[in-house]
Amino acid sequence: MRELVKKPSRCPNCGVAGDVAALATQEQRLRLENAKLKAEVEKLRGTLGQSAADGVTSPPCSAGSVSVLMKSRSPLDDYDGTFLGHDDKPRILELARSALGEVTAMCSAGEPLWVRGVETNRDILNYDEYVRLFRRDHVGSGDHLAAGWSSVEASRECGLVYLDTVQLVHAFMDVDQWKELFPSMITKAATLSVISTGDDGGQDGVVQLMFAELQTLTPVVPTREFYFARYCKKLTAERWAVVDVSFDKPETDVRASSPVRCWKNPSGCIFEEQANGHCKVTWVEHTRCRRSAVPPVYRAFAASGVAFAASGVAFAARRWLSALQLQGERMVFAVATNVPTRDSSGVSTLAGRRSVLKLAHRMTSRLCRAIGGSRDLAWIRAPKGDGGDDIWLTSRKNAGNDPGEPQGLIACAALSAWLPVNPTALLDLLRNESRRLEWDVLLPAKSVKSCVNLAKGKDRANCVTAYAARPEEEEEEEESGGKWVLQDVCTNPCESTVAYAAIAAAALKPVLAGHDSSGVAVLPCGFVSVMPDGLESKLAVITTSRRGDDDELAASAGSGSLVTLAFQVLASSSPEATLSSDSVEAVTGLVSSTSRNIRKALGCQDW
């Protein structure tokens, strides 16, 4: 490399030697101009493309032919490998070590740093005490957060996970495994660079730079994008820590004009090995995010819309840990040999159980990642039908490179609404076989029969079911042909998802026998999110700073459920086709009809 530097620089086109200093000056000037142009493009993109995510009214698509919705630039496209300079590596290593000490202390500390909420029985951060302990260089006691551009969210949760410490550490340090653990929360993630490798080739001491986009399961709440350093450290023989911390100041970052609005204060997990292969997980989540427009009904659930608002359940430690516990149970049940017969009907082999659960997990994961508020999805408002609901529309292409879904142009429509019913009551309706025909427009039959039922968690509501329709005149043939509906239900204290898809019986039966399910094309739809509306949400932190009027609005949310209903249809078998008005009408009609049926079944047609 040194020899190359000594040689005179030459033009790659003509080979003529050039002046190194002049070339360096020109390159610097071009980089600055390029950065300015990128900033202007991002500003324009934010103005045009954030309407769906930020709740701003966007023009509906026309009633005629609809152009294919193009994907906006991915945030990972902005990363060109020069994110860090030569002097940044020591700084990040020191930042990671400091973050480890802070997270370890926050995981074990009690009062006055953490105060137990009387109403919620969960920990609330005393932010003034936090500033005194960890941020002595800050001015004041957190007043700059309330008056400035950001809101702060801090939470802590502790619980048991049905995975051992080694499994968890490897999953958190492998970006693909990490995404699979949290399909409802992580839209996309990537490892950008490895700053430090582990001791003896293991995970102890690894520091890597990462990107992640986090979501709530609705198109109307903006996603959160983070660039952060992840540090893995073995504390004792049975204790590990995985710590995240943002490594550039948002206000001084050269990419401050991009949609990366969030900053991760030292956050992370302490894993402690327990008996029987279990692990005790203590999770601390501490973030600051730019204030963004969030629909009022979601403000108590996703707290970034207001400063010091509700507990931010959408991105809090409780939701992370609940999702991790759910996936841990799924992985255990996939290999368990002692599952009761009543919780494993319709599948006779362990290989069949694994194959069905794998297919169901893929179905739910794909639906979750097709429905969030990511700028990649480019949501627009669909024309309002008779119901008058705000339905969002997007589309994507599969040119045959993904065998897991049909090839062609795929249209997706989604509706997010508040219903005046408890989430448990709504989930009971969706799981009730005898009432399915009251709302499911995909089953034109007089009755349905459950042919497969596989439990995948301690809560029997977490299960995979295959339904066969019973037409009036073919009650003896429902199991031998036609289409079945495969349904995957995932529920935890923070949210529930009900994903289902019509699959040909001829394609599903080999999966039940244990054959590979990766080639089975599914286009799932369903109730992507059934969440409490924030009744339990309280302050995320205690501080002497003033709260705004929006905070009072967020804290006064009523009891009910936040529901996102989504449908996907194959608009054309050709990836080069454009989205026609007939396809738009078809997919939005499915959403509207199902929404009306659900409201009628629950007795809340007027909402």
Side-chain angles (χ1 to χ4, degrees):
M1 182 64 81
R2 290 192 182 94
E3 295 299 321
L4 289 175
V5 172
K6 291 178 182 178
K7 293 181 179 180
S9 300
R10 295 181 179 272
C11 174
N13 295 323
C14 64
V16 178
D19 181 65
V20 175
L23 288 174
T25 302
Q26 184 180 12
E27 181 182 3
Q28 184 178 15
R29 180 176 58 80
L30 291 174
R31 284 182 179 275
L32 289 174
E33 291 179 358
N34 192 35
K36 291 179 181 179
L37 290 173
K38 280 186 177 181
E40 291 298 323
V41 170
E42 292 296 346
K43 287 179 182 179
L44 291 172
R45 183 180 290 117
T47 302
L48 298 174
Q50 277 191 328
S51 58
D54 290 350
V56 181
T57 302
S58 66
C61 55
S62 64
S65 64
V66 183
S67 299
V68 176
L69 306 179
M70 301 301 294
K71 291 178 90 174
S72 61
R73 183 180 177 87
S74 168
L76 291 177
D77 294 338
D78 295 331
Y79 182 77
D80 56 6
T82 60
F83 200 86
L84 301 173
H86 295 294
D87 299 331
D88 288 322
K89 181 177 178 179
R91 180 175 61 88
I92 290 178
L93 290 174
E94 180 59 32
L95 182 65
R97 296 186 188 103
S98 175
L100 174 64
E102 181 172 320
V103 170
T104 303
M106 293 185 71
C107 283
S108 60
E111 293 188 6
L113 183 61
W114 295 98
V115 179
R116 200 70 172 173
V118 176
E119 297 176 339
T120 63
N121 198 35
R122 286 195 287 274
D123 293 328
I124 303 173
L125 180 66
N126 182 340
Y127 205 80
D128 295 330
E129 180 68 12
Y130 170 80
V131 171
R132 187 185 71 81
L133 290 176
F134 303 111
R135 293 289 184 267
R136 294 186 179 90
D137 56 328
H138 281 200
V139 179
S141 58
D143 293 333
H144 62 290
L145 292 173
W149 54 269
S150 65
S151 63
V152 63
E153 297 169 19
S155 56
R156 183 174 69 172
E157 201 74 17
C158 182
L160 285 179
V161 176
Y162 286 178
L163 296 171
D164 61 42
T165 303
V166 175
Q167 287 177 296
L168 286 173
V169 167
H170 281 279
F172 273 62
M173 300 308 291
D174 183 303
V175 70
D176 293 326
Q177 293 186 49
W178 185 53
K179 287 167 57 179
E180 286 303 303
L181 284 177
F182 303 99
S184 65
M185 300 187 67
I186 303 175
T187 305
K188 51 182 171 283
T191 299
L192 306 178
S193 179
V194 177
I195 300 297
S196 176
T197 56
D199 299 335
D200 300 326
Q203 300 295 338
D204 185 20
V206 172
V207 179
Q208 56 192 31
L209 303 186
M210 301 180 67
F211 167 82
E213 182 181 45
L214 310 181
Q215 68 172 2
T216 302
L217 294 176
T218 172
V220 301
V221 174
T223 57
R224 297 183 174 186
E225 296 174 5
F226 292 92
Y227 288 94
F228 58 95
R230 172 161 290 181
Y231 180 33
C232 180
K233 184 63 180 174
K234 187 174 185 178
L235 304 177
T236 66
E238 297 181 343
R239 294 178 73 237
W240 287 75
V242 176
V243 177
D244 297 337
V245 59
S246 290
F247 50 85
D248 274 310
K249 294 182 179 179
E251 293 302 307
T252 59
D253 185 11
V254 70
R255 304 173 194 278
S257 60
S258 74
V260 180
R261 294 185 292 269
C262 296
W263 165 265
K264 188 178 282 287
N265 286 333
S267 306
C269 309
I270 302 294
F271 303 137
E272 299 181 58
E273 192 72 32
Q274 305 291 305
N276 300 323
H278 295 175
C279 180
K280 178 184 177 183
V281 178
T282 304
W283 196 304
V284 169
E285 196 68 21
H286 189 188
T287 60
R288 287 189 289 124
C289 292
R290 291 186 184 180
R291 305 178 74 171
S292 59
V294 175
V297 71
Y298 276 91
R299 288 183 185 173
F301 191 81
S304 63
V306 289
F308 296 120
S311 60
V313 177
F315 302 99
R318 185 186 181 205
R319 186 178 175 218
W320 282 104
L321 184 55
S322 296
L324 181 60
Q325 290 172 322
L326 190 65
Q327 292 304 319
E329 292 182 9
R330 176 187 64 84
M331 294 168 70
V332 169
F333 270 69
V335 298
T337 58
N338 58 347
V339 179
T341 304
R342 65 173 185 172
D343 294 329
S344 187
S345 61
V347 178
S348 58
T349 65
L350 180 59
R353 164 181 282 275
R354 290 178 181 175
S355 189
V356 172
L357 293 183
K358 183 178 179 180
L359 175 60
H361 179 66
R362 170 163 64 91
M363 185 172 66
T364 298
S365 298
R366 285 178 177 271
L367 184 58
C368 288
R369 288 175 180 138
I371 209 64
S374 174
R375 52 180 169 146
D376 282 0
L377 296 177
W379 293 95
I380 63 171
R381 290 182 188 270
K384 285 196 174 183
D386 298 334
D389 293 317
D390 282 333
I391 298 177
W392 295 93
L393 182 70
T394 188
S395 67
R396 66 181 185 277
K397 299 177 180 179
N398 178 22
N401 55 320
D402 185 357
E405 66 180 18
Q407 178 177 334
L409 176 65
I410 298 170
C412 178
L415 165 66
S416 293
W418 178 81
L419 295 178
V421 294
N422 186 279
T424 302
L426 178 55
L427 188 62
D428 288 343
L429 171 65
L430 300 178
R431 294 177 55 246
N432 191 330
E433 177 183 329
S434 63
R435 300 191 63 184
R436 190 174 189 93
L437 296 179
E438 295 183 35
W439 58 268
D440 191 350
V441 296
L442 296 182
L443 285 174
K446 297 207 67 175
S447 64
V448 295
K449 176 184 178 181
S450 174
C451 300
V452 176
N453 184 70
L454 300 179
K456 56 174 187 170
K458 294 187 302 181
D459 185 346
R460 295 188 66 198
N462 285 303
C463 62
V464 178
T465 309
Y467 295 103
R470 283 180 167 175
E472 282 187 75
E473 301 177 356
E474 302 179 10
E475 294 199 3
E476 299 300 326
E477 300 181 6
E478 79 280 352
E479 296 185 29
S480 59
K483 285 187 177 292
W484 287 8
V485 172
L486 183 68
Q487 176 170 286
D488 184 31
V489 179
C490 305
T491 180
N492 64 50
C494 295
E495 65 185 348
S496 302
T497 61
V498 180
Y500 59 96
I503 302 176
L508 187 56
K509 286 182 177 181
V511 177
L512 301 179
H515 293 280
D516 184 20
S517 63
S518 59
V520 178
V522 294
L523 207 54
C525 54
F527 297 82
V528 187
S529 183
V530 179
M531 304 178 293
D533 61 2
L535 178 63
E536 297 182 358
S537 296
K538 303 296 177 183
L539 287 181
V541 297
I542 298 174
T543 179
T544 55
S545 302
R546 294 182 58 189
R547 297 171 61 204
D549 294 337
D550 286 341
D551 304 345
E552 302 297 339
L553 175 64
S556 63
S559 174
S561 301
L562 298 172
V563 182
T564 297
L565 170 62
F567 272 85
Q568 299 184 100
V569 299
L570 185 64
S572 173
S573 58
S574 171
E576 302 305 320
T578 58
L579 194 59
S580 67
S581 57
D582 290 340
S583 298
V584 172
E585 184 177 351
V587 70
T588 56
L590 290 171
V591 173
S592 297
S593 299
T594 305
S595 176
R596 285 195 302 269
N597 292 346
I598 287 291
R599 287 182 168 98
K600 182 178 179 180
L602 293 171
C604 53
Q605 299 96 314
D606 297 332
W607 293 89

